[in-house]
Amino acid sequence: MMRQFYPGLIFLILLLAAGCNSKFHYRIDGKFAEGQYDGEQIYLVPMVGATPDNVDSCTILGGAFHFEGKADSAQIYILRTRIALRVKIQETIVAKEEGKAWVALGDRSFVGGTPTNDSIQAWKVQKEKLDEEIYNLQIAKRQLTGPEGERATERLDSLITATRAFHLATAKRNEENTFGELLKNMLGEKAVAQDGF
């Protein structure tokens, strides 16, 4: 008995096979605000579960670098230099996700270009501002006494509460991506559960 050949069935099988390949293409282009650091290594370190086998690195050339490749799922990484350079170059977190991200490294580092990386940068700017305000209030609280000290304590407590609310709101806005997961882990299960995640 002769078997029938179904071209449509072959096409469907090929289409399903292509759909099962969930890998996406990412690219991270970086440059330095000051200094070129040519010949130095830059490291892309997984935020969670880093091992010598899953840390990527490349050499800085002309004050620039890039990472590129395929990945099965979006993840958060730390972009950093060797330890001696970290006093001049702020490490930053970056999402390895579909698309082209950019990073500018310096005493203040910036990231953007893809949806999650844009969210990371917006959060980072506000976080640094809140951290500085909290630090200044902690100093004022130690130096002031009487009613002024009490007012500084009240402002500090209020700012800490507002900061927690900011982190929770950012985590909620990003709960569908790996940045949201990172923030939830940072806040802790108890805090996240109390807010109804």
PDB file of all heavy atoms in Angstrom, residues 34 39 43 45 48 65 69 71 91 118-119 121 123 126 128 131 142-143 149 151 158 177 185 189:
ATOM      1  N   GLU A  34      33.808  58.587  31.214  1.00  0.00           N
ATOM      2  CA  GLU A  34      35.151  59.165  31.285  1.00  0.00           C
ATOM      3  C   GLU A  34      36.177  58.037  31.264  1.00  0.00           C
ATOM      4  O   GLU A  34      35.974  57.007  31.880  1.00  0.00           O
ATOM      5  CB  GLU A  34      35.323  59.964  32.576  1.00  0.00           C
ATOM      6  CG  GLU A  34      34.466  61.209  32.649  1.00  0.00           C
ATOM      7  CD  GLU A  34      34.659  61.963  33.945  1.00  0.00           C
ATOM      8  OE1 GLU A  34      35.495  61.542  34.758  1.00  0.00           O
ATOM      9  OE2 GLU A  34      33.964  62.959  34.139  1.00  0.00           O
ATOM     10  N   GLY A  39      41.478  47.429  27.214  1.00  0.00           N
ATOM     11  CA  GLY A  39      42.187  46.241  27.664  1.00  0.00           C
ATOM     12  C   GLY A  39      41.641  45.654  28.949  1.00  0.00           C
ATOM     13  O   GLY A  39      41.928  44.503  29.279  1.00  0.00           O
ATOM     14  N   TYR A  43      32.423  42.443  33.206  1.00  0.00           N
ATOM     15  CA  TYR A  43      31.787  41.162  33.530  1.00  0.00           C
ATOM     16  C   TYR A  43      30.273  41.304  33.592  1.00  0.00           C
ATOM     17  O   TYR A  43      29.749  42.277  34.137  1.00  0.00           O
ATOM     18  CB  TYR A  43      32.310  40.647  34.868  1.00  0.00           C
ATOM     19  CG  TYR A  43      33.804  40.467  34.889  1.00  0.00           C
ATOM     20  CD1 TYR A  43      34.642  41.476  35.361  1.00  0.00           C
ATOM     21  CD2 TYR A  43      34.393  39.303  34.397  1.00  0.00           C
ATOM     22  CE1 TYR A  43      36.019  41.335  35.361  1.00  0.00           C
ATOM     23  CE2 TYR A  43      35.775  39.151  34.393  1.00  0.00           C
ATOM     24  CZ  TYR A  43      36.586  40.168  34.873  1.00  0.00           C
ATOM     25  OH  TYR A  43      37.949  40.016  34.866  1.00  0.00           O
ATOM     26  N   VAL A  45      27.427  39.368  35.262  1.00  0.00           N
ATOM     27  CA  VAL A  45      27.301  38.379  36.333  1.00  0.00           C
ATOM     28  C   VAL A  45      25.828  38.158  36.682  1.00  0.00           C
ATOM     29  O   VAL A  45      25.117  39.125  36.991  1.00  0.00           O
ATOM     30  CB  VAL A  45      28.047  38.862  37.603  1.00  0.00           C
ATOM     31  CG1 VAL A  45      27.996  37.813  38.696  1.00  0.00           C
ATOM     32  CG2 VAL A  45      29.489  39.242  37.275  1.00  0.00           C
ATOM     33  N   VAL A  48      21.477  36.176  40.463  1.00  0.00           N
ATOM     34  CA  VAL A  48      21.229  35.023  41.329  1.00  0.00           C
ATOM     35  C   VAL A  48      21.941  33.806  40.738  1.00  0.00           C
ATOM     36  O   VAL A  48      21.879  33.564  39.532  1.00  0.00           O
ATOM     37  CB  VAL A  48      19.711  34.737  41.446  1.00  0.00           C
ATOM     38  CG1 VAL A  48      19.453  33.512  42.300  1.00  0.00           C
ATOM     39  CG2 VAL A  48      18.968  35.937  42.000  1.00  0.00           C
ATOM     40  N   PHE A  65      32.153  48.422  24.783  1.00  0.00           N
ATOM     41  CA  PHE A  65      32.076  46.961  24.863  1.00  0.00           C
ATOM     42  C   PHE A  65      30.675  46.538  24.446  1.00  0.00           C
ATOM     43  O   PHE A  65      29.750  47.360  24.384  1.00  0.00           O
ATOM     44  CB  PHE A  65      32.369  46.479  26.298  1.00  0.00           C
ATOM     45  CG  PHE A  65      31.400  46.996  27.320  1.00  0.00           C
ATOM     46  CD1 PHE A  65      30.235  46.291  27.621  1.00  0.00           C
ATOM     47  CD2 PHE A  65      31.629  48.203  27.971  1.00  0.00           C
ATOM     48  CE1 PHE A  65      29.332  46.774  28.552  1.00  0.00           C
ATOM     49  CE2 PHE A  65      30.736  48.690  28.906  1.00  0.00           C
ATOM     50  CZ  PHE A  65      29.585  47.970  29.203  1.00  0.00           C
ATOM     51  N   GLY A  69      23.962  37.691  22.165  1.00  0.00           N
ATOM     52  CA  GLY A  69      23.750  36.260  22.079  1.00  0.00           C
ATOM     53  C   GLY A  69      22.295  35.869  22.148  1.00  0.00           C
ATOM     54  O   GLY A  69      21.402  36.694  21.980  1.00  0.00           O
ATOM     55  N   ALA A  71      19.312  33.752  24.456  1.00  0.00           N
ATOM     56  CA  ALA A  71      18.975  33.344  25.826  1.00  0.00           C
ATOM     57  C   ALA A  71      17.598  32.714  25.834  1.00  0.00           C
ATOM     58  O   ALA A  71      16.733  33.061  25.021  1.00  0.00           O
ATOM     59  CB  ALA A  71      19.022  34.542  26.768  1.00  0.00           C
ATOM     60  N   GLU A  91      28.838  49.906  39.453  1.00  0.00           N
ATOM     61  CA  GLU A  91      28.238  48.747  38.796  1.00  0.00           C
ATOM     62  C   GLU A  91      26.744  48.983  38.685  1.00  0.00           C
ATOM     63  O   GLU A  91      26.166  49.782  39.423  1.00  0.00           O
ATOM     64  CB  GLU A  91      28.557  47.457  39.554  1.00  0.00           C
ATOM     65  CG  GLU A  91      28.059  47.389  40.959  1.00  0.00           C
ATOM     66  CD  GLU A  91      28.521  46.127  41.675  1.00  0.00           C
ATOM     67  OE1 GLU A  91      29.607  45.590  41.375  1.00  0.00           O
ATOM     68  OE2 GLU A  91      27.778  45.682  42.548  1.00  0.00           O
ATOM     69  N   ASP A 118      14.602  50.135  30.815  1.00  0.00           N
ATOM     70  CA  ASP A 118      14.059  51.473  31.069  1.00  0.00           C
ATOM     71  C   ASP A 118      13.433  51.544  32.464  1.00  0.00           C
ATOM     72  O   ASP A 118      13.591  52.536  33.184  1.00  0.00           O
ATOM     73  CB  ASP A 118      13.019  51.848  30.012  1.00  0.00           C
ATOM     74  CG  ASP A 118      13.639  52.093  28.631  1.00  0.00           C
ATOM     75  OD1 ASP A 118      14.863  52.320  28.556  1.00  0.00           O
ATOM     76  OD2 ASP A 118      12.890  52.050  27.640  1.00  0.00           O
ATOM     77  N   SER A 119      12.726  50.482  32.861  1.00  0.00           N
ATOM     78  CA  SER A 119      12.131  50.425  34.203  1.00  0.00           C
ATOM     79  C   SER A 119      13.202  50.406  35.285  1.00  0.00           C
ATOM     80  O   SER A 119      13.064  51.055  36.326  1.00  0.00           O
ATOM     81  CB  SER A 119      11.248  49.184  34.349  1.00  0.00           C
ATOM     82  OG  SER A 119      10.120  49.272  33.520  1.00  0.00           O
ATOM     83  N   GLN A 121      16.190  51.731  35.107  1.00  0.00           N
ATOM     84  CA  GLN A 121      16.800  53.054  35.223  1.00  0.00           C
ATOM     85  C   GLN A 121      15.893  54.023  35.979  1.00  0.00           C
ATOM     86  O   GLN A 121      16.363  54.779  36.834  1.00  0.00           O
ATOM     87  CB  GLN A 121      17.146  53.610  33.843  1.00  0.00           C
ATOM     88  CG  GLN A 121      17.835  54.962  33.871  1.00  0.00           C
ATOM     89  CD  GLN A 121      19.144  54.952  34.649  1.00  0.00           C
ATOM     90  OE1 GLN A 121      19.852  53.956  34.664  1.00  0.00           O
ATOM     91  NE2 GLN A 121      19.461  56.061  35.306  1.00  0.00           N
ATOM     92  N   TRP A 123      13.639  53.303  38.204  1.00  0.00           N
ATOM     93  CA  TRP A 123      13.661  52.889  39.615  1.00  0.00           C
ATOM     94  C   TRP A 123      14.965  53.308  40.272  1.00  0.00           C
ATOM     95  O   TRP A 123      14.963  53.823  41.396  1.00  0.00           O
ATOM     96  CB  TRP A 123      13.489  51.373  39.691  1.00  0.00           C
ATOM     97  CG  TRP A 123      13.795  50.770  41.027  1.00  0.00           C
ATOM     98  CD1 TRP A 123      12.965  50.746  42.116  1.00  0.00           C
ATOM     99  CD2 TRP A 123      14.996  50.113  41.421  1.00  0.00           C
ATOM    100  NE1 TRP A 123      13.590  50.103  43.163  1.00  0.00           N
ATOM    101  CE2 TRP A 123      14.837  49.705  42.766  1.00  0.00           C
ATOM    102  CE3 TRP A 123      16.198  49.818  40.772  1.00  0.00           C
ATOM    103  CZ2 TRP A 123      15.829  49.028  43.463  1.00  0.00           C
ATOM    104  CZ3 TRP A 123      17.189  49.148  41.463  1.00  0.00           C
ATOM    105  CH2 TRP A 123      17.002  48.763  42.792  1.00  0.00           C
ATOM    106  N   GLN A 126      15.183  57.109  41.184  1.00  0.00           N
ATOM    107  CA  GLN A 126      14.372  57.446  42.358  1.00  0.00           C
ATOM    108  C   GLN A 126      14.936  56.806  43.625  1.00  0.00           C
ATOM    109  O   GLN A 126      14.941  57.431  44.697  1.00  0.00           O
ATOM    110  CB  GLN A 126      12.925  57.004  42.134  1.00  0.00           C
ATOM    111  CG  GLN A 126      11.962  57.392  43.245  1.00  0.00           C
ATOM    112  CD  GLN A 126      11.797  58.887  43.424  1.00  0.00           C
ATOM    113  OE1 GLN A 126      12.178  59.677  42.558  1.00  0.00           O
ATOM    114  NE2 GLN A 126      11.253  59.297  44.541  1.00  0.00           N
ATOM    115  N   GLU A 128      18.097  56.119  44.324  1.00  0.00           N
ATOM    116  CA  GLU A 128      19.273  56.863  44.764  1.00  0.00           C
ATOM    117  C   GLU A 128      18.882  58.168  45.450  1.00  0.00           C
ATOM    118  O   GLU A 128      19.486  58.571  46.448  1.00  0.00           O
ATOM    119  CB  GLU A 128      20.200  57.128  43.573  1.00  0.00           C
ATOM    120  CG  GLU A 128      20.915  55.867  43.096  1.00  0.00           C
ATOM    121  CD  GLU A 128      21.756  56.075  41.853  1.00  0.00           C
ATOM    122  OE1 GLU A 128      21.635  57.162  41.220  1.00  0.00           O
ATOM    123  OE2 GLU A 128      22.531  55.172  41.508  1.00  0.00           O
ATOM    124  N   ASP A 131      17.471  57.173  48.890  1.00  0.00           N
ATOM    125  CA  ASP A 131      18.569  56.730  49.761  1.00  0.00           C
ATOM    126  C   ASP A 131      19.353  57.918  50.310  1.00  0.00           C
ATOM    127  O   ASP A 131      19.733  57.939  51.486  1.00  0.00           O
ATOM    128  CB  ASP A 131      19.515  55.795  48.995  1.00  0.00           C
ATOM    129  CG  ASP A 131      18.917  54.425  48.734  1.00  0.00           C
ATOM    130  OD1 ASP A 131      17.859  54.106  49.314  1.00  0.00           O
ATOM    131  OD2 ASP A 131      19.505  53.670  47.940  1.00  0.00           O
ATOM    132  N   ARG A 142      20.671  62.060  64.480  1.00  0.00           N
ATOM    133  CA  ARG A 142      21.717  61.854  65.491  1.00  0.00           C
ATOM    134  C   ARG A 142      22.229  63.172  66.068  1.00  0.00           C
ATOM    135  O   ARG A 142      22.659  63.233  67.214  1.00  0.00           O
ATOM    136  CB  ARG A 142      22.892  61.065  64.882  1.00  0.00           C
ATOM    137  CG  ARG A 142      22.582  59.587  64.688  1.00  0.00           C
ATOM    138  CD  ARG A 142      23.845  58.781  64.434  1.00  0.00           C
ATOM    139  NE  ARG A 142      24.521  59.131  63.196  1.00  0.00           N
ATOM    140  CZ  ARG A 142      24.298  58.549  62.018  1.00  0.00           C
ATOM    141  NH1 ARG A 142      23.407  57.586  61.927  1.00  0.00           N
ATOM    142  NH2 ARG A 142      24.962  58.930  60.950  1.00  0.00           N
ATOM    143  N   GLN A 143      22.184  64.226  65.255  1.00  0.00           N
ATOM    144  CA  GLN A 143      22.761  65.506  65.676  1.00  0.00           C
ATOM    145  C   GLN A 143      21.772  66.415  66.394  1.00  0.00           C
ATOM    146  O   GLN A 143      22.180  67.283  67.157  1.00  0.00           O
ATOM    147  CB  GLN A 143      23.349  66.240  64.459  1.00  0.00           C
ATOM    148  CG  GLN A 143      24.547  65.527  63.853  1.00  0.00           C
ATOM    149  CD  GLN A 143      25.030  66.180  62.574  1.00  0.00           C
ATOM    150  OE1 GLN A 143      24.314  66.969  61.954  1.00  0.00           O
ATOM    151  NE2 GLN A 143      26.252  65.849  62.170  1.00  0.00           N
ATOM    152  N   GLY A 149      14.846  67.188  66.890  1.00  0.00           N
ATOM    153  CA  GLY A 149      15.184  65.780  66.752  1.00  0.00           C
ATOM    154  C   GLY A 149      13.953  64.919  66.527  1.00  0.00           C
ATOM    155  O   GLY A 149      13.973  63.975  65.734  1.00  0.00           O
ATOM    156  N   ARG A 151      11.124  65.928  65.130  1.00  0.00           N
ATOM    157  CA  ARG A 151      10.639  66.180  63.757  1.00  0.00           C
ATOM    158  C   ARG A 151      11.484  65.428  62.733  1.00  0.00           C
ATOM    159  O   ARG A 151      10.960  64.883  61.756  1.00  0.00           O
ATOM    160  CB  ARG A 151      10.640  67.684  63.464  1.00  0.00           C
ATOM    161  CG  ARG A 151       9.467  68.428  64.095  1.00  0.00           C
ATOM    162  CD  ARG A 151       9.310  69.816  63.509  1.00  0.00           C
ATOM    163  NE  ARG A 151      10.428  70.680  63.874  1.00  0.00           N
ATOM    164  CZ  ARG A 151      10.493  71.397  64.992  1.00  0.00           C
ATOM    165  NH1 ARG A 151       9.495  71.331  65.868  1.00  0.00           N
ATOM    166  NH2 ARG A 151      11.539  72.174  65.230  1.00  0.00           N
ATOM    167  N   SER A 158       8.556  58.583  58.045  1.00  0.00           N
ATOM    168  CA  SER A 158       7.636  58.795  56.919  1.00  0.00           C
ATOM    169  C   SER A 158       8.318  58.468  55.592  1.00  0.00           C
ATOM    170  O   SER A 158       7.726  57.833  54.706  1.00  0.00           O
ATOM    171  CB  SER A 158       7.154  60.241  56.923  1.00  0.00           C
ATOM    172  OG  SER A 158       6.352  60.496  55.803  1.00  0.00           O
ATOM    173  N   ASN A 177       7.810  40.601  34.715  1.00  0.00           N
ATOM    174  CA  ASN A 177       9.169  40.425  34.211  1.00  0.00           C
ATOM    175  C   ASN A 177      10.141  40.106  35.344  1.00  0.00           C
ATOM    176  O   ASN A 177       9.774  40.096  36.516  1.00  0.00           O
ATOM    177  CB  ASN A 177       9.626  41.648  33.397  1.00  0.00           C
ATOM    178  CG  ASN A 177       9.688  42.920  34.224  1.00  0.00           C
ATOM    179  OD1 ASN A 177      10.185  42.921  35.348  1.00  0.00           O
ATOM    180  ND2 ASN A 177       9.187  44.014  33.675  1.00  0.00           N
ATOM    181  N   ASN A 185      11.959  39.738  45.710  1.00  0.00           N
ATOM    182  CA  ASN A 185      12.950  39.038  46.534  1.00  0.00           C
ATOM    183  C   ASN A 185      13.670  40.005  47.464  1.00  0.00           C
ATOM    184  O   ASN A 185      13.963  39.677  48.616  1.00  0.00           O
ATOM    185  CB  ASN A 185      13.965  38.313  45.647  1.00  0.00           C
ATOM    186  CG  ASN A 185      13.364  37.119  44.935  1.00  0.00           C
ATOM    187  OD1 ASN A 185      12.373  36.561  45.382  1.00  0.00           O
ATOM    188  ND2 ASN A 185      13.936  36.746  43.814  1.00  0.00           N
ATOM    189  N   GLU A 189       9.423  38.053  51.413  1.00  0.00           N
ATOM    190  CA  GLU A 189       8.091  37.440  51.270  1.00  0.00           C
ATOM    191  C   GLU A 189       7.058  38.086  52.170  1.00  0.00           C
ATOM    192  O   GLU A 189       5.911  38.275  51.776  1.00  0.00           O
ATOM    193  CB  GLU A 189       8.186  35.933  51.594  1.00  0.00           C
ATOM    194  CG  GLU A 189       8.899  35.133  50.523  1.00  0.00           C
ATOM    195  CD  GLU A 189       8.951  33.663  50.854  1.00  0.00           C
ATOM    196  OE1 GLU A 189       8.127  33.216  51.684  1.00  0.00           O
ATOM    197  OE2 GLU A 189       9.796  32.956  50.295  1.00  0.00           O
TER     198      GLU A 189
END
